[in-house]
Amino acid sequence: MSKRRSSIDLGSMQAEEGMSGTGRDEAIYRNLYAAIVENHLEPGTKLPEDTLAEAFGVSRTSIRKVLQRLAYERLVDIRLNRGATVAQPTVKEARDIFAARRIVECGVLAQVVAKATPARLDELRDIVRREHEAEARGDRREAIYLSGEFHVALARVSENETLSDYLAGLVSRSSLVIATYGAPMAGSCRHSEHDDVLELIAEGDAEGARNWMERHLKDIERTVVLVDEEPSVLDLRKVLDEVARRHRGER
């Protein structure tokens, strides 16, 4: 989920006449990726090519390539004669995603413990600190995003890029599960939980950390209420503008 910090605003994209087609497509991808995984665009939201092309100031061909990339990552559904929508995981897919996360995250922890250094642990503690701050101010989207970022950053300590990249995709899809089925505070971790696993890792307790992770992920899954809900109607351009302004302020 690290792609989020790279997002750029719509105005900059339209103003950069010298930006290559590849660079422009990447910027559009980052903005749509952020809007989806941060739940600004709810599962089931329609993504009309003409609306997106106008919003980003590009051709529908460019938008189509970005949507196909997001569809490959299973964040967008594209259906013949129905266009693209933000993916809406089924109950089975939701359960499969969490089952896969348990296999990956529990399995990688021995390597994480072996390679953890004080500096890496401090970086993880900084994510946890920002997560707690988001929870304290009631920013559910930010808290859930940072929770996912923590899990991916933790796996990256193992230096196994294949597993870390796979997990990043699972975490992104988890955000869609939470948005589709979650209760108001579903998917956010209880205060201090991530602090607990960092203590176990610092102590070199690989088995304790693995057991913690299994319980933790099962607890998160139990907070998700797997009941279908109809997505609300929203102004796509307005949402994208809001996301762009937010990320412009972070740079």
PDB file of all heavy atoms in Angstrom, residues 203-218:
ATOM      1  N   GLU A 203      11.955  -9.033  21.437  1.00  0.00           N
ATOM      2  CA  GLU A 203      12.451 -10.057  22.377  1.00  0.00           C
ATOM      3  C   GLU A 203      12.951 -11.313  21.669  1.00  0.00           C
ATOM      4  O   GLU A 203      13.470 -12.233  22.304  1.00  0.00           O
ATOM      5  CB  GLU A 203      11.326 -10.442  23.349  1.00  0.00           C
ATOM      6  CG  GLU A 203      10.921  -9.314  24.291  1.00  0.00           C
ATOM      7  CD  GLU A 203       9.624  -9.606  25.036  1.00  0.00           C
ATOM      8  OE1 GLU A 203       9.055 -10.702  24.800  1.00  0.00           O
ATOM      9  OE2 GLU A 203       9.191  -8.761  25.833  1.00  0.00           O
ATOM     10  N   GLY A 204      12.788 -11.355  20.335  1.00  0.00           N
ATOM     11  CA  GLY A 204      13.219 -12.521  19.570  1.00  0.00           C
ATOM     12  C   GLY A 204      12.291 -13.707  19.683  1.00  0.00           C
ATOM     13  O   GLY A 204      12.676 -14.845  19.389  1.00  0.00           O
ATOM     14  N   ASP A 205      11.036 -13.473  20.076  1.00  0.00           N
ATOM     15  CA  ASP A 205      10.064 -14.549  20.296  1.00  0.00           C
ATOM     16  C   ASP A 205       9.273 -14.806  19.007  1.00  0.00           C
ATOM     17  O   ASP A 205       8.159 -14.296  18.825  1.00  0.00           O
ATOM     18  CB  ASP A 205       9.125 -14.163  21.439  1.00  0.00           C
ATOM     19  CG  ASP A 205       8.184 -15.304  21.841  1.00  0.00           C
ATOM     20  OD1 ASP A 205       8.170 -16.342  21.153  1.00  0.00           O
ATOM     21  OD2 ASP A 205       7.457 -15.137  22.848  1.00  0.00           O
ATOM     22  N   ALA A 206       9.853 -15.599  18.106  1.00  0.00           N
ATOM     23  CA  ALA A 206       9.216 -15.860  16.819  1.00  0.00           C
ATOM     24  C   ALA A 206       7.902 -16.621  16.975  1.00  0.00           C
ATOM     25  O   ALA A 206       6.908 -16.320  16.305  1.00  0.00           O
ATOM     26  CB  ALA A 206      10.167 -16.638  15.913  1.00  0.00           C
ATOM     27  N   GLU A 207       7.863 -17.617  17.846  1.00  0.00           N
ATOM     28  CA  GLU A 207       6.654 -18.402  18.040  1.00  0.00           C
ATOM     29  C   GLU A 207       5.550 -17.554  18.659  1.00  0.00           C
ATOM     30  O   GLU A 207       4.378 -17.634  18.260  1.00  0.00           O
ATOM     31  CB  GLU A 207       6.938 -19.615  18.920  1.00  0.00           C
ATOM     32  CG  GLU A 207       5.747 -20.558  19.106  1.00  0.00           C
ATOM     33  CD  GLU A 207       5.266 -21.186  17.809  1.00  0.00           C
ATOM     34  OE1 GLU A 207       6.047 -21.226  16.839  1.00  0.00           O
ATOM     35  OE2 GLU A 207       4.112 -21.658  17.774  1.00  0.00           O
ATOM     36  N   GLY A 208       5.911 -16.735  19.643  1.00  0.00           N
ATOM     37  CA  GLY A 208       4.927 -15.853  20.250  1.00  0.00           C
ATOM     38  C   GLY A 208       4.365 -14.864  19.241  1.00  0.00           C
ATOM     39  O   GLY A 208       3.167 -14.579  19.225  1.00  0.00           O
ATOM     40  N   ALA A 209       5.237 -14.319  18.365  1.00  0.00           N
ATOM     41  CA  ALA A 209       4.798 -13.374  17.342  1.00  0.00           C
ATOM     42  C   ALA A 209       3.875 -14.056  16.336  1.00  0.00           C
ATOM     43  O   ALA A 209       2.872 -13.480  15.904  1.00  0.00           O
ATOM     44  CB  ALA A 209       6.009 -12.776  16.630  1.00  0.00           C
ATOM     45  N   ARG A 210       4.203 -15.301  15.967  1.00  0.00           N
ATOM     46  CA  ARG A 210       3.350 -16.030  15.017  1.00  0.00           C
ATOM     47  C   ARG A 210       1.967 -16.289  15.608  1.00  0.00           C
ATOM     48  O   ARG A 210       0.949 -16.095  14.948  1.00  0.00           O
ATOM     49  CB  ARG A 210       4.014 -17.362  14.640  1.00  0.00           C
ATOM     50  CG  ARG A 210       3.352 -18.054  13.436  1.00  0.00           C
ATOM     51  CD  ARG A 210       3.634 -19.536  13.419  1.00  0.00           C
ATOM     52  NE  ARG A 210       2.941 -20.207  14.525  1.00  0.00           N
ATOM     53  CZ  ARG A 210       1.634 -20.506  14.497  1.00  0.00           C
ATOM     54  NH1 ARG A 210       0.888 -20.186  13.442  1.00  0.00           N
ATOM     55  NH2 ARG A 210       1.069 -21.114  15.516  1.00  0.00           N
ATOM     56  N   ASN A 211       1.933 -16.708  16.872  1.00  0.00           N
ATOM     57  CA  ASN A 211       0.647 -16.950  17.533  1.00  0.00           C
ATOM     58  C   ASN A 211      -0.156 -15.666  17.663  1.00  0.00           C
ATOM     59  O   ASN A 211      -1.384 -15.658  17.494  1.00  0.00           O
ATOM     60  CB  ASN A 211       0.876 -17.567  18.913  1.00  0.00           C
ATOM     61  CG  ASN A 211       1.412 -18.984  18.835  1.00  0.00           C
ATOM     62  OD1 ASN A 211       1.210 -19.680  17.827  1.00  0.00           O
ATOM     63  ND2 ASN A 211       2.104 -19.420  19.872  1.00  0.00           N
ATOM     64  N   TRP A 212       0.546 -14.572  17.967  1.00  0.00           N
ATOM     65  CA  TRP A 212      -0.126 -13.277  18.065  1.00  0.00           C
ATOM     66  C   TRP A 212      -0.770 -12.914  16.735  1.00  0.00           C
ATOM     67  O   TRP A 212      -1.923 -12.472  16.688  1.00  0.00           O
ATOM     68  CB  TRP A 212       0.882 -12.192  18.467  1.00  0.00           C
ATOM     69  CG  TRP A 212       0.277 -10.818  18.515  1.00  0.00           C
ATOM     70  CD1 TRP A 212      -0.248 -10.181  19.594  1.00  0.00           C
ATOM     71  CD2 TRP A 212       0.116  -9.917  17.397  1.00  0.00           C
ATOM     72  NE1 TRP A 212      -0.732  -8.939  19.227  1.00  0.00           N
ATOM     73  CE2 TRP A 212      -0.524  -8.761  17.883  1.00  0.00           C
ATOM     74  CE3 TRP A 212       0.442  -9.986  16.044  1.00  0.00           C
ATOM     75  CZ2 TRP A 212      -0.840  -7.662  17.067  1.00  0.00           C
ATOM     76  CZ3 TRP A 212       0.124  -8.912  15.221  1.00  0.00           C
ATOM     77  CH2 TRP A 212      -0.505  -7.768  15.738  1.00  0.00           C
ATOM     78  N   MET A 213      -0.016 -13.073  15.636  1.00  0.00           N
ATOM     79  CA  MET A 213      -0.520 -12.686  14.317  1.00  0.00           C
ATOM     80  C   MET A 213      -1.754 -13.506  13.939  1.00  0.00           C
ATOM     81  O   MET A 213      -2.720 -12.966  13.381  1.00  0.00           O
ATOM     82  CB  MET A 213       0.569 -12.858  13.262  1.00  0.00           C
ATOM     83  CG  MET A 213       0.151 -12.404  11.873  1.00  0.00           C
ATOM     84  SD  MET A 213      -0.233 -10.616  11.791  1.00  0.00           S
ATOM     85  CE  MET A 213       1.442  -9.930  11.892  1.00  0.00           C
ATOM     86  N   GLU A 214      -1.738 -14.797  14.225  1.00  0.00           N
ATOM     87  CA  GLU A 214      -2.896 -15.632  13.886  1.00  0.00           C
ATOM     88  C   GLU A 214      -4.139 -15.160  14.639  1.00  0.00           C
ATOM     89  O   GLU A 214      -5.225 -15.018  14.052  1.00  0.00           O
ATOM     90  CB  GLU A 214      -2.614 -17.094  14.213  1.00  0.00           C
ATOM     91  CG  GLU A 214      -3.745 -18.016  13.779  1.00  0.00           C
ATOM     92  CD  GLU A 214      -3.368 -19.491  13.869  1.00  0.00           C
ATOM     93  OE1 GLU A 214      -2.276 -19.801  14.371  1.00  0.00           O
ATOM     94  OE2 GLU A 214      -4.182 -20.327  13.418  1.00  0.00           O
ATOM     95  N   ARG A 215      -4.000 -14.891  15.932  1.00  0.00           N
ATOM     96  CA  ARG A 215      -5.139 -14.396  16.724  1.00  0.00           C
ATOM     97  C   ARG A 215      -5.587 -13.026  16.209  1.00  0.00           C
ATOM     98  O   ARG A 215      -6.792 -12.752  16.098  1.00  0.00           O
ATOM     99  CB  ARG A 215      -4.752 -14.284  18.199  1.00  0.00           C
ATOM    100  CG  ARG A 215      -4.548 -15.603  18.913  1.00  0.00           C
ATOM    101  CD  ARG A 215      -4.510 -15.395  20.434  1.00  0.00           C
ATOM    102  NE  ARG A 215      -3.482 -14.429  20.813  1.00  0.00           N
ATOM    103  CZ  ARG A 215      -2.240 -14.743  21.108  1.00  0.00           C
ATOM    104  NH1 ARG A 215      -1.836 -16.009  21.035  1.00  0.00           N
ATOM    105  NH2 ARG A 215      -1.369 -13.811  21.477  1.00  0.00           N
ATOM    106  N   HIS A 216      -4.638 -12.177  15.928  1.00  0.00           N
ATOM    107  CA  HIS A 216      -4.912 -10.810  15.491  1.00  0.00           C
ATOM    108  C   HIS A 216      -5.727 -10.786  14.194  1.00  0.00           C
ATOM    109  O   HIS A 216      -6.743 -10.092  14.090  1.00  0.00           O
ATOM    110  CB  HIS A 216      -3.573 -10.095  15.301  1.00  0.00           C
ATOM    111  CG  HIS A 216      -3.675  -8.678  14.823  1.00  0.00           C
ATOM    112  ND1 HIS A 216      -4.231  -7.672  15.585  1.00  0.00           N
ATOM    113  CD2 HIS A 216      -3.269  -8.099  13.665  1.00  0.00           C
ATOM    114  CE1 HIS A 216      -4.163  -6.534  14.911  1.00  0.00           C
ATOM    115  NE2 HIS A 216      -3.589  -6.763  13.751  1.00  0.00           N
ATOM    116  N   LEU A 217      -5.297 -11.565  13.204  1.00  0.00           N
ATOM    117  CA  LEU A 217      -6.000 -11.576  11.926  1.00  0.00           C
ATOM    118  C   LEU A 217      -7.382 -12.205  12.048  1.00  0.00           C
ATOM    119  O   LEU A 217      -8.330 -11.772  11.375  1.00  0.00           O
ATOM    120  CB  LEU A 217      -5.161 -12.304  10.881  1.00  0.00           C
ATOM    121  CG  LEU A 217      -3.877 -11.579  10.459  1.00  0.00           C
ATOM    122  CD1 LEU A 217      -3.050 -12.458   9.534  1.00  0.00           C
ATOM    123  CD2 LEU A 217      -4.191 -10.245   9.791  1.00  0.00           C
ATOM    124  N   LYS A 218      -7.510 -13.216  12.897  1.00  0.00           N
ATOM    125  CA  LYS A 218      -8.834 -13.802  13.126  1.00  0.00           C
ATOM    126  C   LYS A 218      -9.761 -12.787  13.805  1.00  0.00           C
ATOM    127  O   LYS A 218     -10.956 -12.716  13.494  1.00  0.00           O
ATOM    128  CB  LYS A 218      -8.718 -15.069  13.960  1.00  0.00           C
ATOM    129  CG  LYS A 218      -8.166 -16.256  13.190  1.00  0.00           C
ATOM    130  CD  LYS A 218      -8.095 -17.504  14.062  1.00  0.00           C
ATOM    131  CE  LYS A 218      -7.601 -18.705  13.259  1.00  0.00           C
ATOM    132  NZ  LYS A 218      -7.489 -19.924  14.104  1.00  0.00           N
TER     133      LYS A 218
END
